[in-house]
Amino acid sequence: MIEFDLKEKVFHLKNNEISYVIGILENGHLGHFYFGKKLSGPLMSNMFRIDQNKGLTSNVFENNPSFSLNNERLEYPCYGSTDFREPAFDFEDKDGSHIYNFKYSDYEILSGKPSIDLPSSYGLESEASTLRIKLKDKFGLEITLSYTIFESLNIIARHTQVRNTGNEVHYIDRLMSLSMDLKDSNWEMMQFSGDWIRERHQYVTPLRPGIQSVYSHRGASSANHHPSLILKRLGANETQGEAIGMTLMYSGNHLIQCEVDSNSITRVMGGISPSYFKWKLQPNEMFQSPEMLLSYSGKGLEQLSHTFHDFVRNHIISKKWHNTTRPIVLNNWEATYFDFTEDKIVELAKQGSELGIEMFVLDDGWFGNRNSDQTGLGDWFVNRDKLPNGIEGLSKRVHDLGMQFGLWIEPEMINKGTLLYENHQDWLIGHPDRAISHGRNQYVLDYSNQEVVDHILNQLINVLDNANVDYIKWDMNKNITEAYSKTLARDQQGELFHRYILGVYYLYEKLIDRYPNILIESCASGGGRFDLAMMYYAPQAWTSDNTDAVERLKIQHTTSLFFPLITMASHISDVPNHQVGRMTSLKMRGDVANFGTFGYELDLTKLQDAEKVEIKEQVKTFKSLRELIHHGEFYRLISPFENDYNNTAWQVVSKDGNQSFVTWYQVLSRPNEPIKYLKLRGLEVDALYQITGFDEAISGSYLMYQGLLIEPSFNGVEIKEYALGDFQSRTFVIKKVNYNL
Ligand code: GLA
């Protein structure tokens, strides 16, 4: 999959569908030659670049006005020569100089994918090949660019490492995971931005000259800008056109940017945000950037998503969870908030088990003096007033009902009024002589300090060793504001954000080592840290605190661009909805939650009998579709961001093509709507399909080209909930009939 043409000095990474080409330029720097559909045949350097004398440029070689880095398409550009665009890396030496000159040194090709010291994707020798290109500067630094290409998935995993082989200290001010200069700027940039309870909405803008970016300086990958980006050709859509997708496997501060220069070249780069970052690299030390995953699709966004879904399911999520059924959850947060007793919890769980729900999750409020969000965080011992028999006693009672038991924690935080605060005020992130801002009355613990992480770990071990816990919901509800660590030296304060997230990863690793059977769901005020690095440890994440069925359409739709449905925790909650006050039917709420891990977050004891019957049916249906939904191919048929925001439709098709599940949603009822036909995808043209409740089987060609008629009565079936009234949804369970036309 990886070739090097020594004469032409061209590296070519390829699988059956894509190519990535890098060249060595005449000054020893790397040129970015190509990324896109697979190329075959000999690739010569002069097929990708020519010398250009553009007049008033700065030039690398004396007496040669035709070689300026500013006119080249570069692979990993530096500051301090003839390129005036943003560099991919920036170092500082003992003299304060930022001028470095890294030249190609050597390369190696490895089978498989070596792991790095950060959460990263994995691939066997039979699945992937890795190219490492080493660049050297004469004053003792080495950069290694690493590229892993996967054989059957259009993914290239990139990261960068820098090693100090000299005798002097250097500072890293920036070390991007990926950089590449695309040959034109006819792209639209799709970004996924939002806020708490409005995570990952889509924004599409054509590229323009200058820099456009997404970033986070919050210490978390954030609900505000997801650490990913898609570039798509103008007019590309779900099924057509070129698209490049990238997502950073990192949970801390990030930056992904596109810079269009005066030659209409687009420089794309991404990695840890250089703002507030400075890393001291001592002699013999090494620093690794997180991994950026890159994909190319010649067939629109759908192919991009299918690639990422398979990749996340098979190369990111721990193997342990590949074939483990994800339980249907009942969570007590919106049912009780902080106000519960052991008996109330058991009563809820009992109702849940009678309805077929498989796991009870005890949310916030079980520890320390936590009766409101004023205090308690940091004191990870059980609140005996609420739970006299401890987590041990409660988990036993829940297990006796035939349910699994899960527990909420928020280990990165501290409140005033706790024992932890009394003893360790110095463990907060913040300067001792400056004010420290709170958020939800809480402060962030300094996870760059090993002592802090170990203390929290030991408290959690005390709880978890003594109880039967099957699942953890790991929350994080405050971003880092006044970033200062009392234990880091003056010239290492710029390391705090990265060291913080390394502390978080360390705690994840310790918990997973000790409790390998506990399924962890990550959460950060909902979807505020919904990234691939979290996914590496916690194979599912709470998608958003917003459980309103209409709002969830947009959030889940965009999340599905990179993440498979099995990673998205989705619950049915009460109405009026606690976030937006909307009244939607139980049916629509269930039909939206189906496209995720599925669960409930409401007080089942307060429901009418008819609602309980409906929930029992929902649970039964989800169980019958779970394998299909979690492991099938997902199709976004209608986008909630188009079409006047009124309709959305989703479909899943099993990998073997025998089964499909489709749901159509309508937000508002409107008079005189045209007849709607919903065109399905992913079926076989010549096969016949039986739709549950329909008399006759229907051909794949009809379902895909003409479309399923969304009508009150079709093929003899009356659909009772027909679009009179707002917030409608229809589901179709489809099975291939075993013969072709
Ligand atoms: C965050 C989470 C919620 C819930 C609360 C508890 O907001 O996103 O799901 O767990 O905290 O305090």
Side-chain angles (χ1 to χ4, degrees), residues 54 150 727:
K54 287 206 151 192
F150 286 78
F727 317 124

Side-chain angles (χ1 to χ4, degrees), residues 196 199 331 333-334 337-338 363-365 367 370 373 377 408-410 440 442 473 475-477 521 523-528 542 544-546 571 601:
W196 174 62
E199 294 90 342
N331 175 302
W333 177 239
E334 289 195 13
Y337 292 104
F338 295 101
D363 210 280
D364 196 355
F367 50 89
R370 184 85 168 161
D373 64 12
L377 295 170
W408 179 97
I409 57 171
E410 194 182 356
R440 209 193 184 200
Q442 66 197 52
K473 176 178 171 189
D475 208 344
M476 192 285 292
N477 287 305
E521 174 172 308
C523 172
S525 311
W542 184 222
S544 173
D545 274 352
N546 196 334
H571 295 171
E601 181 131 358

Side-chain angles (χ1 to χ4, degrees), residues 550-619:
V550 175
E551 291 301 318
R552 273 289 183 125
L553 290 173
K554 289 185 222 140
I555 297 169
Q556 292 179 206
H557 192 86
T558 311
T559 306
S560 82
L561 281 165
F562 289 95
F563 297 89
L565 303 182
I566 195 170
T567 63
M568 284 187 230
S570 51
H571 295 171
I572 294 161
S573 63
D574 207 357
V575 285
N577 173 268
H578 291 199
Q579 291 76 42
V580 293
R582 188 176 283 125
M583 299 289 291
T584 53
S585 65
L586 184 53
K587 171 168 167 50
M588 176 150 174
R589 279 174 277 153
D591 288 346
V592 175
N594 273 335
F595 287 84
T597 59
F598 197 77
Y600 291 84
E601 181 131 358
L602 44 75
D603 190 344
L604 295 175
T605 63
K606 293 195 179 132
L607 296 183
Q608 309 288 324
D609 285 349
E611 290 172 310
K612 287 187 194 161
V613 170
E614 194 174 341
I615 289 183
K616 201 167 186 171
E617 202 47 43
Q618 284 179 331
V619 168

Side-chain angles (χ1 to χ4, degrees), residues 47 64 156 159 172-173 213 304 334 397 492 546 655 711:
M47 294 159 80
N64 178 357
I156 292 178
H159 83 278
I172 307 169
D173 287 341
S213 67
L304 211 57
E334 289 195 13
R397 285 180 76 185
Q492 290 189 288
N546 196 334
K655 288 275 186 187
E711 262 293 81

